[in-house]
């Protein structure tokens, strides 16, 4: 039956694609990991305004990023990029030395190409700026370089490299007249493109190019930044200012990468954020959108690796135990728990160490933690000459199956700091190997440089054991790792594209939702109009729902997370309820309290 179901799904996808496809001239095939995929491109996209989010740019930008996955058989890092640029009609391809060579700690690989276009008696040159967001190895060191002020230092420095390369490219290719800048990015390169696009929109930069007869303004920058980390300083910039209207960030609520760097430390993104639907943010997620999202992923993923399913937002609830639950008023029961909410809460609780007050400031991170993390990535990828690079499969195997991880978890549960530090030292010696077989560099460069971080993490986990039990619970470890998956993200962007799915395309949202907090319910239920059914029920002891998330806290409070596009009717026996609005950062503010009896939430 499973094989038959897969055939039905693939046939349905093919039928939808055929029925809703644009003209054959727009359809372009490109390669990603030795497999051919489809995208679309037409010069007329650049007649579209840059303020509106356009699926045309979203899918084409994602394809440009996937083309960075070069063919394993040849090792040629540019062949797929050159191929897709050729099919888009772009020439003058340029690949910087950081793309062609082995990545360093602070490099950024970059592909660029351009195309002169004449439309409606207007001639302009489009420049594609396409930094590498995958296969960047040691550049992870740059990712964890936060710095003490301004934008995240590592991302900002990479953005500055891109800005410099744009200037050189324009000069060497002798580009003049009207130009349009098309930025694309995924993961690391998404925030690099985000910062670089914002910098190119500053008045003095626009003016300096104008003096060289390179003409563009705020309407001519198109930036599509996919799974974009938070690296812009909300303290130093008005990140949603009108001049950044052409910057669009595409995000998966359940992916931990967009939560780096932490919002709680004042980081965000330039432009506007768009989230894929999930249970928290779209009432139709499970009934309508989930199957097409998962099916399209399987369609692409199985064609390449055939290594199993990916359950979107399949987070498992783990009972933290009565003691921890009562101490921190934690959930003791849950239905459809949210991975995204848990990860966001985890990051904030670790940084605050459970006190509600920030304990790890940017200054502390830069002075005591940053160097140690950079050393770890230098060793992992063999950039530090003392070390042998670590096979990523060994790393995953160690974390999912290794006994040393089990010991560290037991140290956390038992709040044994000294054993935690000793077992962490053992972890370093198991994971890393030096070229001469000695352990000196492991202890001096890695363990000793990370004792501040290890000590703090142990303290945070011991204070908030609920973090440890939820995140280190084995079935949940995979769910943290897998959402940041370029095939998955391309699939999600495909399912949001009306050219492929017509009216069934999944809608983006702003990542916000409601929290309904209900005190002492003995019987409680919620009916939703558009689905025309009861969507949540609690009899005071059990919780049930097939489409929304809910939790019962240790103090008896019931919390239900409701998408904003629903129409709800509340009924039951309870003391009172309060309604909150919660943004994509999981920061809540009260909308209404003192709700009693039957109530309509429209």
């Amino acid at each position: 039956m499973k094989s038959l179901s897969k055939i039905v799904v693939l046939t349905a996808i093919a039928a939808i694609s055929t029925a809703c496809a644009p003209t054959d001239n727009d359809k372009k095939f490109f390669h990603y990991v030795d497999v051919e995929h489809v995208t679309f491109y037409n010069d007329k996209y650049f007649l579209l305004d840059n303020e509106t989010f356009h699926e045309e740019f979203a899918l084409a930008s994602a394809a440009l990023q996937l083309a960075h996955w070069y063919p394993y058989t040849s090792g040629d890092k540019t062949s797929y990029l050159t191929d897709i640029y050729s099919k888009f009609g772009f020439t003058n391809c340029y690949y910087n030395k950081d793309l062609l060579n082995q990545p360093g700690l602070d490099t950024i690989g970059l592909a660029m190409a351009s195309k002169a276009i004449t439309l409606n008696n207007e001639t302009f040159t489009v420049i594609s700026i396409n930094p590498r967001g995958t296969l960047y190895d040691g550049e992870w060191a740059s990712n964890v370089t936060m710095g003490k002020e301004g934008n995240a230092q590592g991302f900002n420095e990479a953005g500055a490299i891109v800005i410099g390369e744009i200037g050189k490219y324009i000069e060497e290719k002798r580009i003049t007249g009207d130009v349009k800048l098309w930025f694309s990015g995924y993961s690391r390169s998404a925030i690099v493109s985000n910062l670089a696009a914002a910098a190119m929109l500053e008045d003095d930069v626009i003016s300096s190019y104008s003096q060289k007869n390179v003409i563009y303004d705020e309407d001519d920058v198109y930036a599509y930044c996919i799974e974009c980390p938070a690296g812009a300083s909300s303290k130093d910039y008005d990140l949603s200012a009108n001049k950044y209207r052409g910057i669009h960030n595409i995000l998966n609520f359940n992916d931990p990468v967009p939560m780096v760097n932490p919002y709680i430390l004042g980081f965000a993104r330039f432009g506007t954020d768009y989230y894929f639907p999930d249970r928290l943010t779209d009432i139709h997620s499970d009934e309508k959108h989930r199957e097409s999202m998962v099916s399209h992923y399987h369609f692409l993923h199985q064609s390449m690796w055939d290594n199993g399913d990916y359950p979107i937002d399949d987070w498992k609830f783990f009972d933290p135990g009565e003691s921890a639950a009562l101490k921190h008023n934690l959930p003791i029961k849950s239905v459809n728990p949210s991975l995204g909410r848990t990860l966001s809460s985890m990051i904030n609780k670790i940084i605050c160490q459970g006190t509600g007050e920030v304990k790890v400031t940017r200054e502390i991170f830069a002075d005591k933690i940053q160097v140690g993390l950079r050393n770890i990535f230098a060793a992992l990828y063999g950039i530090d000459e003392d070390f042998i690079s670590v096979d990523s499969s060994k790393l995953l195997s160690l974390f999912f199956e290794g006994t040393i991880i089990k010991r560290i978890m037991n140290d956390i549960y038992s709040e044994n700091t000294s054993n935690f530090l000793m077992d962490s030292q053992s972890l370093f010696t198991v994971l890393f190997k030096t070229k001469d077989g000695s352990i000196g560099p492991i202890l001096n460069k890695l363990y000793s440089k990370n004792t501040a971080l290890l000590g703090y993490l142990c303290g945070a986990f011991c204070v908030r054991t609920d973090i440890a039990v939820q995140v280190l619970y084995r079935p949940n470890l995979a769910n943290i790792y897998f959402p940041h998956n370029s095939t998955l993200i391309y699939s999600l962007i495909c399912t949001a594209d009306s050219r492929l799915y017509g009216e069934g395309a999944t809608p983006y949202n702003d990542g916000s939702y409601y929290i309904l907090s209900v005190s002492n319910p003995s019987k409680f239920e919620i009916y939703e109009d558009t689905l025309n059914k009861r969507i949540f029920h609690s009899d005071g002891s059990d919780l049930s729902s097939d489409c929304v998330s809910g939790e019962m806290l240790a103090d008896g409070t019931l919390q239900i997370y409701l998408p904003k596009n629903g129409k709800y009717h509340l009924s039951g026996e309870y003391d009172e309820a309060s309604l909150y609005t919660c943004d994509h950062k999981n920061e809540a503010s009260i909308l209404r309290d003192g709700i009693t009896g039957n109530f309509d939430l429209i």
Side-chain angles (χ1 to χ4, degrees):
M1 288 299 294
K2 185 175 181 181
S3 299
L4 179 59
S5 298
K6 185 180 291 186
I7 292 171
V8 171
V9 167
L10 299 186
T11 303
I13 290 174
I16 291 171
S17 300
T18 301
C20 304
T23 65
D24 288 341
N25 289 335
D26 291 353
K27 185 180 291 187
K28 312 294 180 184
F29 291 93
F30 71 99
H31 283 87
Y32 161 56
V33 194
D34 295 332
V35 176
E36 193 173 61
H37 296 310
V38 67
T39 189
F40 304 93
Y41 175 81
N42 192 305
D43 290 343
K44 293 181 180 179
Y45 294 172
F46 290 96
L47 295 179
L48 299 170
D49 70 288
N50 71 338
E51 180 175 5
T52 305
F53 179 94
H54 294 290
E55 60 186 18
E56 293 87 350
F57 280 106
L59 193 63
S61 297
L64 285 174
Q65 279 296 301
L66 288 188
H68 276 286
W69 284 84
Y70 55 86
Y72 296 151
T73 52
S74 70
D76 184 344
K77 297 182 179 181
T78 66
S79 62
Y80 287 170
L81 289 162
T82 301
D83 177 65
I84 194 171
Y85 276 134
S86 174
K87 289 172 179 175
F88 286 2
F90 281 65
T91 59
N92 293 323
C93 293
Y94 166 74
Y95 308 112
N96 74 344
K97 59 180 175 57
D98 290 342
L99 181 72
L100 301 174
N101 299 326
Q102 181 70 21
L105 299 181
D106 298 292
T107 57
I108 181 71
L110 177 65
M112 296 178 67
S114 56
K115 183 176 187 179
I117 297 173
T118 299
L119 293 169
N120 296 345
N121 297 319
E122 177 188 0
T123 299
F124 53 87
T125 300
V126 174
I127 303 173
S128 166
I129 301 113
N130 185 29
R132 176 185 57 206
T134 56
L135 304 176
Y136 55 73
D137 298 350
E139 290 174 10
W140 268 99
S142 172
N143 294 355
V144 299
T145 304
M146 188 184 296
K148 296 183 179 182
E149 58 185 8
N151 296 334
Q153 180 183 336
F155 294 141
N156 208 51
E157 290 173 350
I161 293 173
V162 169
I163 293 167
E165 295 280 21
I166 294 171
K168 289 196 302 181
Y169 182 87
I170 288 173
E171 181 177 353
E172 291 175 3
K173 305 304 180 185
R174 299 182 180 180
I175 295 172
T176 58
D178 294 335
V179 301
K180 294 181 184 290
L181 305 177
W182 178 15
F183 289 87
S184 54
Y186 166 75
S187 188
R188 166 174 167 78
S189 71
I191 185 59
V192 171
S193 282
N194 183 282
L195 298 177
M200 293 296 289
L201 286 164
E202 296 302 323
D203 292 341
D204 58 337
V205 177
I206 293 174
S207 177
S208 68
Y209 274 104
S210 177
Q211 293 172 16
K212 302 173 185 177
N213 193 28
V214 177
I215 312 301
Y216 72 95
D217 61 23
E218 296 170 2
D219 293 325
D220 297 314
V221 174
Y222 299 77
Y224 283 74
C225 310
I226 303 161
E227 293 300 77
C228 186
S233 170
S234 57
K235 175 183 176 181
D236 297 293
Y237 298 94
D238 178 5
L239 302 179
S240 58
N242 188 54
K243 65 182 175 181
Y244 305 128
R245 61 187 177 273
I247 303 176
H248 306 280
N249 309 304
I250 303 172
L251 306 165
N252 177 357
F253 190 83
N254 299 301
D255 186 345
V257 169
M259 303 177 196
V260 178
N261 294 275
Y263 299 131
I264 198 172
L265 295 185
F267 292 102
R269 291 165 283 270
F270 286 99
T272 307
D273 290 352
Y274 303 84
Y275 284 83
F276 299 112
D278 77 335
R279 290 191 189 111
L280 289 187
T281 60
D282 194 315
I283 193 62
H284 304 289
S285 178
D286 281 284
E287 293 253 331
K288 185 186 298 185
H289 308 315
R290 183 183 177 93
E291 182 166 344
S292 62
M293 295 164 75
V294 174
S295 297
H296 201 106
Y297 169 70
H298 287 176
F299 174 57
L300 293 183
H301 199 21
Q302 295 290 339
S303 68
M304 291 186 293
W305 295 300
D306 194 30
N307 65 346
D309 297 344
Y310 172 76
I312 295 176
D313 197 20
D314 189 17
W315 187 253
K316 303 291 191 301
F317 174 73
F318 188 90
D319 188 344
E322 182 178 5
S323 175
L326 291 172
K327 182 178 180 181
H328 301 293
N329 193 27
L330 304 174
I332 54 175
K333 294 177 182 176
S334 178
V335 59
N336 302 324
S338 167
L339 167 59
R341 258 193 74 83
T342 303
L343 291 179
S344 178
S345 176
M346 173 194 74
I347 292 169
N348 289 346
K349 287 174 182 175
I350 288 177
I351 290 174
C352 296
Q353 209 175 60
T355 65
E357 178 182 340
V358 171
K359 296 293 186 181
V360 177
T361 63
R362 289 189 65 174
E363 291 77 12
I364 290 174
F365 186 92
D367 288 338
K368 297 184 177 181
I369 297 174
Q370 190 169 282
V371 171
L373 288 176
R374 286 178 60 87
N375 286 357
I376 285 176
F377 288 114
L380 273 174
Y381 293 100
I383 296 173
D384 186 320
E385 295 181 353
D386 285 337
F387 294 91
I388 300 171
S389 61
V390 178
D391 184 343
S392 59
S393 62
K394 176 185 176 183
L395 184 63
L396 291 175
S397 176
L398 179 65
F399 276 92
F400 288 118
E401 304 296 337
T403 57
I404 186 67
I405 297 298
K406 295 178 183 177
R407 290 190 349 229
I408 289 174
M409 291 168 64
N410 289 331
D411 297 337
I412 292 170
Y413 298 152
S414 61
E415 301 185 14
N416 191 325
T417 304
S418 59
N419 279 359
F420 176 87
L421 292 174
M422 286 191 296
D423 286 332
S424 297
Q425 180 174 309
S426 298
L427 174 63
F428 279 99
T429 58
V430 169
L431 181 59
F432 296 100
K433 301 298 179 185
T434 58
K435 291 178 179 178
D436 64 4
S438 66
I439 65 168
I442 299 174
L443 299 179
N444 298 329
K445 292 184 177 182
L446 303 182
Y447 177 72
S448 66
K449 295 295 184 182
N450 283 283
T451 51
L453 172 62
L454 292 169
Y456 184 84
L457 284 178
C458 184
F461 279 135
C462 288
V463 170
R464 296 306 302 263
T465 52
D466 58 305
I467 303 171
V469 296
Q470 295 293 343
V471 175
L472 299 181
Y473 179 45
R474 296 263 165 160
N476 286 341
L477 276 173
N479 286 345
I480 295 174
Y481 174 77
F482 286 115
H484 194 67
N485 176 314
S486 53
T487 313
L488 170 67
I489 299 308
Y490 192 74
S491 303
L492 298 183
I493 294 174
C494 283
T495 58
D497 195 309
S498 64
R499 296 168 299 177
L500 292 171
Y501 281 83
E503 294 182 357
T506 58
Y508 294 96
N509 60 66
D510 65 0
S512 66
Y513 55 95
Y514 294 129
I515 302 176
L516 183 67
S517 181
V518 184
S519 299
N520 299 316
S522 57
K523 186 177 181 181
F524 186 81
E525 65 180 32
I526 302 176
Y527 184 91
E528 204 283 320
D529 275 355
T530 60
L531 299 179
N532 193 27
K533 69 175 187 178
R534 186 179 71 181
I535 62 166
F536 185 89
H537 174 76
S538 171
D539 61 5
S541 58
D542 291 325
L543 314 179
S544 64
S545 175
D546 61 0
C547 60
V548 297
S549 299
E551 298 171 328
M552 179 71 75
L553 304 182
D555 68 358
T557 300
L558 180 63
Q559 288 193 333
I560 307 124
Y561 306 102
L562 298 173
K564 288 189 173 181
N565 62 339
K567 298 180 179 180
Y568 309 103
H569 302 279
L570 323 179
S571 62
E573 300 170 4
Y574 59 99
D575 289 350
E576 66 175 19
S578 299
L579 182 68
Y580 299 81
T581 182
C582 197
D583 64 16
H584 66 279
K585 301 176 185 178
N586 287 315
E587 295 176 353
S589 57
I590 187 74
L591 287 179
R592 181 170 180 173
D593 57 10
I595 298 171
T596 58
N598 295 343
F599 180 76
D600 292 343
L601 172 60
I602 305 296

